[in-house]
Amino acid sequence: MAATNSDMSTSGYSFEDIQAMAQEVLKYSSLRPKIGIICGTGLGGIGDVLEDPVPVPYEVIPDFPVSTVKGHSGKFVFGMIQGKPVLLMMGRLHYYEGYPMWKVAMPVRVMKAIGIETLIITNAAGGLNPKYKPGDMMIINDHIDFPGLTGECVLIGKNDERFGPRFLAMSDAYDKDLGNKFKECMVQLGHGSLLHEGIYIMVGGPTFSTTAEYKVLRMFGADAIGMSTIPEVVVGRHSNMKVFGLSLITDAADLECASKNKLTHEDVLKIANDSALLLQKVFVNFISMVN
Ligand SMILES: O=P(O)(O)O[C@H]1O[C@H](CO)[C@@H](O)[C@H]1O
């Protein structure tokens, strides 16, 4: 049975709980994917490229949390891309939904138990780097775990070594080879000019940032800002998965306080939706290159 936040365990779910959830998901398909993709806000369109999709709604998995945010549908989907079996996670959990950090990233542990070795994580993010425009993409080459730095790291609590080590190096969090392959694929498709590489910072949300906050976070060296991803990256690395992270830039941070428009979740969804076809094309090529 799932423990409460006050147990402060790394996972809140025991190793056995996670294995049982994975076994439940595996009942729905004979595919045994090694590639997993987490779809960010509004990026579920990636799922449209799946051949023979088999959805597994979170509700059918005992003790699995529900996803409450518009743009996150709440299911795993098995399917094939370019002859390779993949598992999509459509319906990320966020800290601002009220879930403790260990629960936010728990689906990654289930993906590991299903057999996923390469984890591709996508998100919608605000551009802090003034060169970034809505519709651009950023390969995440490093991150700033702002909640982690202030005591809310996803690995805080008891550690079960069957999940991973107590102390985890994060200097090699993002797989360089996967980053290079993604770059190659964007250049091949003629979209190299949309692509950047940079640092993602996670904030707790759900408020978007003030101009003063954007300025401070930019001074820290962050290029893109969002409210997700880092707990999944940390748990992915704790589980010894190869990790690739991609941000779709959905809005440009107003560092000069010049815009009269207030940023909304609908703005984020619109840009994500406008980029859906391009992302589908890119992912088909990218997955064909991933081992
Ligand atoms: O990070 P993802 O889930 O892609 O979504 C981003 O977009 C939402 C805000 O519109 C927030 O959830 C933020 O984190």
Side-chain angles (χ1 to χ4, degrees):
M1 192 58 199
T4 63
N5 192 22
S6 60
D7 289 343
M8 296 289 284
S9 94
T10 301
S11 157
Y13 292 82
S14 70
F15 189 78
E16 290 74 19
D17 290 336
I18 298 288
Q19 303 302 314
M21 287 187 204
Q23 287 312 312
E24 193 59 37
V25 177
L26 283 167
K27 281 184 193 162
Y28 288 79
S29 174
S30 56
L31 296 181
R32 293 296 175 259
K34 295 196 185 318
I35 302 171
I37 305 174
I38 301 180
C39 299
T41 288
L43 302 179
I46 297 169
D48 292 348
V49 301
L50 278 189
E51 293 152 39
D52 305 322
V54 178
V56 184
Y58 292 167
E59 300 92 84
V60 303
I61 313 167
D63 274 337
F64 207 89
V66 291
S67 164
T68 66
V69 183
K70 198 167 161 192
H72 291 268
S73 57
K75 59 188 174 199
F76 286 111
V77 188
F78 288 95
M80 302 290 288
I81 299 180
Q82 294 283 296
K84 287 186 186 156
V86 298
L87 180 71
L88 250 60
M89 178 181 146
M90 297 168 84
R92 128 175 315 144
L93 310 170
H94 300 85
Y95 186 62
Y96 63 75
E97 292 173 74
Y99 294 121
M101 246 356 146
W102 55 260
K103 207 173 225 182
V104 165
M106 175 279 274
V108 174
R109 297 215 184 279
V110 175
M111 290 171 99
K112 171 73 181 185
I114 285 170
I116 301 303
E117 294 172 356
T118 299
L119 184 63
I120 297 168
I121 304 179
T122 65
N123 62 52
L128 287 170
N129 186 320
K131 293 195 181 116
Y132 295 7
K133 297 180 300 304
D136 285 358
M137 291 181 208
M138 183 188 88
I139 296 172
I140 305 176
N141 60 18
D142 206 345
H143 72 219
I144 301 171
D145 182 357
F146 206 48
L149 293 175
T150 54
E152 284 283 345
C153 177
V154 67
L155 297 183
I156 282 193
K158 278 184 237 148
N159 188 58
D160 184 333
E161 295 278 328
R162 290 175 294 175
F163 285 129
R166 168 73 292 182
F167 297 103
L168 179 68
M170 287 303 292
S171 48
D172 60 349
Y174 297 91
D175 191 272
K176 286 199 173 50
D177 180 49
L178 289 171
N180 288 337
K181 285 188 168 131
F182 192 85
K183 223 182 298 173
E184 198 183 318
C185 159
M186 285 290 280
V187 171
Q188 268 176 16
L189 292 169
H191 299 297
S193 63
L194 293 181
L195 192 63
H196 310 277
E197 272 185 77
I199 298 171
Y200 176 91
I201 191 162
M202 179 194 176
V203 291
T207 54
F208 291 116
S209 303
T210 64
T211 303
E213 287 163 351
Y214 279 139
K215 282 184 179 159
V216 169
L217 301 177
R218 177 65 185 148
M219 263 165 24
F220 285 170
D223 296 294
I225 177 172
M227 308 169 195
S228 71
T229 300
I230 292 180
E232 297 154 0
V233 172
V234 172
V235 167
R237 293 299 298 144
H238 193 237
S239 313
N240 201 26
M241 291 168 167
K242 280 202 277 186
V243 171
F244 171 75
L246 182 75
S247 293
L248 173 73
I249 305 300
T250 51
D251 51 278
D254 185 11
L255 292 166
E256 305 304 326
C257 207
S259 169
K260 293 201 171 51
N261 298 331
K262 282 193 262 182
L263 177 61
T264 66
H265 186 56
E266 277 59 41
D267 298 331
V268 171
L269 287 169
K270 182 185 178 314
I271 297 293
N273 193 46
D274 291 349
S275 305
L277 286 178
L278 172 61
L279 272 171
Q280 286 167 11
K281 204 164 59 159
V282 174
F283 267 78
V284 167
N285 269 44
F286 181 47
I287 297 301
S288 73
M289 292 166 137
V290 174
N291 301 318

